[in-house]
Amino acid sequence: MQRRTKIVATLGPATESLEAIEGLVRAGVDVVRLNFSHGAAEEHMARAERVRQMAARHGRFVAILADLQGPKIRIARFAEGKVLLHKGQRFVLDALLDKQGGGVEAVGIDYEALISDSRLGDILLLDDGRVEMQVVEVQSNRLICEVLVGGPLSNNKGINRKGGGLSASALTAKDREDILTAARMQVDYLAVSFPRDAADMHLARQLLHEAGGEAGLIAKIERAETVADRAVLDGIIEASEGVMVARGDLGVEIGDAELVAVQKLIIDRTRTLNRVVITATQMMETMITQSMPTRAEVFDVANAVLDGTDAVMLSAETAAGAYPIQTVEAMVRIIVGAERHPQAQRSKHRMDEVFQRIDETIALSAMYAANHLDGVKAIISLTETGDTPRLMSRIRSHLPIYACSGNLRTQRRVALFRGVQTLPFSTDEMPLDEVNQRAVEALLQRGVVSHGDCVLITRGDHAHDQGGTNTLRIVRVGEVIR
């Protein structure tokens, strides 16, 4: 059984070398994430080049995702590196305090607008919620807080407000510089951290295009306010090529008890709006130090697959973990196991809707036919941009979708789409009446289909037309096809 759900792996010190990157490619990674929160531009460029080199060596198409740091709101540093806070004690967040001089009573902050953003009674969550405190007094430059949940607190830990609502802009000065780097690298996807609304995504797209980049935008859903209002969430989704369920900061802001339902909502809305979705954060966390996942992690990954996510993501597990290759291999096994479940293979998605676009109608009709006609073994989408296979991949199926394209950017970009495989296929020197026949022969040569199998083919009347898919054919392998 061919795996449909894709795997995103973050590169870092544990996967720096050519050998490690080759191991990830061979293990089945479909997208690599470059975390711009760490490392210099030159390091990311070198990693991207190694990925492309190893993918080409092994005949794979691996997309590159650059992930912007965004406005991470943090405390400053402690003179002794760490303090231990106790429940009930007073602790001050001080915008004027020496950024290196924090102690057990106070620490500086790097986002001074936190003072004006805060109100009496606000709950602040530090270090991903491990330390919790309530604002009991707001002064001109300081927040006086009472510790509700104590524990160790060390340098530069993040601050979230329960319920969200902090005013920090999604794109910092660093992010704007990193967009220039991403454009130079010609990454396939660019992830925007902490977008507040669709306008943040439109601005990121404008900056990327001005820099000469053509990456698809991935909105990281991390703020509580973006999931509290359906219109805001849908606006962000529609302004992007895809979204990431960034469960770390999102979970801190809305609470873990709400996170399961919100994850399912985001995946459902993203698929309904014809975008792609990545589920991320702590999916195989124990494999940073252990060679096997826990059963809870197995269920977490499997449930995301059954929810319909396009991809599951690894962060520190592959960036800094002791078992990066084994983690990917374990994730492959879990995905394949989950995809055997009937829920992952059949769909009633959008059965009662009216469509406005011809290519969307053809794409979804093809998936309905493929899922209900006995003998179909594969779906071929002749595509210039990858839009038609993306639309197809919104429908659950057990059948492989082959994106036949001669466009290298498209060949890499479809690596993120659930159930879609790249088939390099150029029609530039090919008579139009031979295109269908040769596409089927390409699958036959790969051993994907056999004589007598049925194959569905979608295409447009003219090669290289964007959004021009208007034809669906069902053909039988071994017969003359026109």
Side-chain angles (χ1 to χ4, degrees), residues 269 272-274 349-356 360 364:
R269 293 306 300 159
T272 297
L273 295 171
N274 290 329
H349 179 61
R350 308 187 68 188
M351 291 292 288
D352 300 322
E353 292 189 24
V354 174
F355 306 121
Q356 304 298 321
E360 184 176 13
L364 300 187

Side-chain angles (χ1 to χ4, degrees), residues 206-225:
Q206 175 188 334
L207 294 172
L208 180 65
H209 286 174
E210 289 174 355
E214 299 179 6
L217 293 186
I218 302 295
K220 295 172 67 177
I221 308 299
E222 300 181 272
R223 296 184 189 241
E225 56 267 36

Side-chain angles (χ1 to χ4, degrees), residues 34 55 154 187 215 217 247 329 419:
L34 305 177
S154 56
V187 299
L217 293 186
R247 302 183 304 181
E329 292 170 343

